[in-house]
């Protein structure tokens, strides 16, 4: 995250996802047509289909939504971090077309009585989807307001029946350098890993998101399923998850392993604790000119401060 920081907020002038999908499919189709396996008209039909928006999701309004102004869809989908596709903010939108989010299996395992491998589409059908409009505060100092579609992680964890010894939850992103070309390089240790304490994972604010702005997640935002923990810095919200494992020990996480002095396991948004190289007191809401004050726990203190009672949050950053 701290490696390439662009001081300005700039957006490439195009709608990233449809174009990305279009390019990906077009290449494949051109090959099929050249090989005589498809008629030339297939290309036109496919271009139409690929330009179609992502699948609509039926979601009821959920709790905890902010009424602050939402960050425009274009900014949400073209300015973000997903190092598996490059380290610049525009890279995920540009490159994530190589990710194939269907079919997709999510394993939920470890210290549970009913470990299961879920087909993600079946899981989405089985779960009552909610829309939750949450603030997202990146550790780099920018923030957004995003209308997620998803379901509480707690609903999934309850279904697999955690054992008494389970205390933490470890999350892992897909590891496939063919789909995620950034994994061919060593900018991070792959696959990306994150973790929560079990009580944080079970907290009703903690969401597994499968969509945003009423439609399925675009690849660059972590398709087909990603975590959203709104009171923590954005890097805790791991994308394109293939494994959720309940453990008795605190799991290793990507950023705290790479730079332990800079990123802790907890990563609660805390304006009073500076990153070693910059203050966390203020943030730039994408689309706004003046910086605003960052709130403790990103404004969710009333809901979550109790989880950390008695803990020294300077030490457990
Ligand atoms: N997950 C994976 N697998 N790889 C990443 O590089 N970046 C994190 C997080 N999840 C990242 C990831 C960071 S730093 C942020 S700020 C958020 O994703 C950005 O989420 P967004 O795309 O919804 O804005």
């Amino acid at each position: 995250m701290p490696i390439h920081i662009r001081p300005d907020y700039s957006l490439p002038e195009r709608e990233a996802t449809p174009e990305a999908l279009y390019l990906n499919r077009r290449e494949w189709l051109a090959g099929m047509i050249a090989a005589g396996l498809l008629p030339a008209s297939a290309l036109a039909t496919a271009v139409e289909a690929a330009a179609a928006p992502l699948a609509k999701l039926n979601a009821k309004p959920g709790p905890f939504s902010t009424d602050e102004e939402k960050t425009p869809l274009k900014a949400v989908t073209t300015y973000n971090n997903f190092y598996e596709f490059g380290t610049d903010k525009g890279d995920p939108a540009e490159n994530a077309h190589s990710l194939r989010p269907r079919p997709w299996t999510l394993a939920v395992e470890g210290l549970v009585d009913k470990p299961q491998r879920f087909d993600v589409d079946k899981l989405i059908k089985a779960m009552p989807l909610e829309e939750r409009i949450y603030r997202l505060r990146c550790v780099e100092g920018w923030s957004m307001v995003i209308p997620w579609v998803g379901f509480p992680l707690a609903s999934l964890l309850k279904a697999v029946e955690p054992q008494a010894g389970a205390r933490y939850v470890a999350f892992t992103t897909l590891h496939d350098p063919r789909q995620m070309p950034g994994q061919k390089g060593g900018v991070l240790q792959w696959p990306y890993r994150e973790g929560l304490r079990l009580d944080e994972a079970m907290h009703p604010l903690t969401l597994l998101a499968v969509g945003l702005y009423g439609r399925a997640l675009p690849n660059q935002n972590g398709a087909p399923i990603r975590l959203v923990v709104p009171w923590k810095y954005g890097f805790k919200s791991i994308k394109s998850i293939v494994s959720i494992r309940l453990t008795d020990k605190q799991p290793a996480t990507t950023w705290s392993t790479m730079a332990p002095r800079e990123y802790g396991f907890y990563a609660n948004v805390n304006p009073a604790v500076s990153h070693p190289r910059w203050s966390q007191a203020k943030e730039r809401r994408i689309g706004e000119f003046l910086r605003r004050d960052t709130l403790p726990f990103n404004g969710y203190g009333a809901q979550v401060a109790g989880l950390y009672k008695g803990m020294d949050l300077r030490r457990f950053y």
Side-chain angles (χ1 to χ4, degrees):
M1 280 160 293
I3 304 171
H4 296 276
I5 298 167
R6 278 207 189 128
D8 294 328
Y9 164 59
S10 58
L11 291 177
E13 279 309 308
R14 64 186 151 44
E15 288 296 331
T17 308
E19 184 191 51
L21 284 171
Y22 161 81
L23 289 175
N24 192 28
R25 255 178 95 69
R26 192 177 60 176
E27 266 169 35
W28 176 81
L29 276 159
M32 296 289 277
I33 292 165
L37 294 171
L38 282 174
S41 61
L43 191 56
T45 317
V47 165
E48 236 168 67
L54 293 159
K56 256 198 178 141
L57 299 171
N58 282 327
K60 293 210 175 92
F64 308 117
S65 284
T66 172
D67 55 10
E68 287 165 79
E69 198 179 327
K70 289 180 262 182
T71 304
L73 174 65
K74 189 164 182 180
V76 173
T77 55
T78 57
Y79 183 89
N80 64 356
N81 285 325
F82 198 169
Y83 274 27
E84 285 83 342
F85 299 102
T87 54
D88 280 349
K89 297 286 171 286
D91 285 345
E94 189 113 345
N95 301 326
H97 55 84
S98 53
L99 177 67
R100 294 190 307 273
R102 299 288 185 299
W104 190 276
T105 304
L106 171 65
V108 189
E109 55 205 359
L111 298 177
V112 298
D113 279 341
K114 295 190 170 157
Q116 266 196 74
R117 295 169 67 78
F118 295 93
D119 170 76
V120 91
D121 282 325
K122 287 189 186 145
L123 184 64
I124 291 171
K125 278 208 185 94
M127 289 289 172
L129 297 184
E130 295 173 4
E131 180 173 78
R132 305 260 190 115
I133 307 168
Y134 282 171
R135 291 179 286 275
L136 179 136
R137 167 64 157 83
C138 184
V139 74
E140 294 165 349
W142 49 270
S143 65
M144 296 189 180
V145 173
I146 303 177
W148 300 110
V149 176
F151 54 87
L153 173 60
S155 309
L156 180 63
L157 295 181
K158 281 178 200 153
V160 296
E161 300 183 8
Q163 294 173 358
R167 293 190 51 216
Y168 292 91
V169 185
F171 304 84
T172 311
T173 292
L174 176 72
H175 190 196
D176 182 351
R178 282 166 308 166
Q179 291 189 58
M180 297 181 149
Q183 291 177 336
K184 290 177 190 157
V187 57
L188 292 180
Q189 289 167 8
W190 312 110
Y192 196 99
R193 293 178 197 279
E194 258 310 332
L196 294 173
R197 234 169 41 191
L198 185 59
D199 58 343
E200 297 176 321
M202 296 295 282
H203 192 280
L205 268 171
T206 305
L207 204 66
L208 276 175
V210 297
L212 54 82
Y213 270 103
R215 294 186 181 273
L217 278 179
N219 284 359
Q220 63 269 34
N221 292 92
I225 189 159
R226 54 91 52 90
L227 187 65
V228 178
V229 197
W231 71 95
K232 294 179 181 280
Y233 290 116
F235 67 88
K236 297 296 284 184
S237 292
I238 181 173
K239 293 171 165 167
S240 305
I241 302 170
V242 291
S243 160
I244 297 180
R245 173 172 282 275
L246 282 80
T247 65
D248 54 354
K249 292 188 187 64
Q250 184 175 304
T253 66
T254 295
W255 283 101
S256 66
T257 306
M258 299 280 301
R261 252 175 37 81
E262 303 197 355
Y263 308 106
F265 176 79
Y266 283 92
N268 292 320
V269 173
N270 190 344
V273 175
S274 295
H275 182 280
R277 291 184 280 135
W278 60 83
S279 162
Q280 293 289 19
K282 289 192 178 284
E283 67 197 58
R284 188 182 304 283
R285 180 68 50 86
I286 294 302
E288 290 180 359
F289 180 68
L290 293 175
R291 295 202 301 160
R292 44 165 87 205
D293 290 340
T294 286
L295 302 172
F297 300 107
N298 201 22
Y300 299 96
Q303 287 82 33
V304 300
L307 295 172
Y308 309 102
K309 230 173 158 182
M311 274 177 75
D312 177 356
L313 294 178
R314 291 190 168 272
R315 203 170 141 233
F316 296 99
Y317 52 86

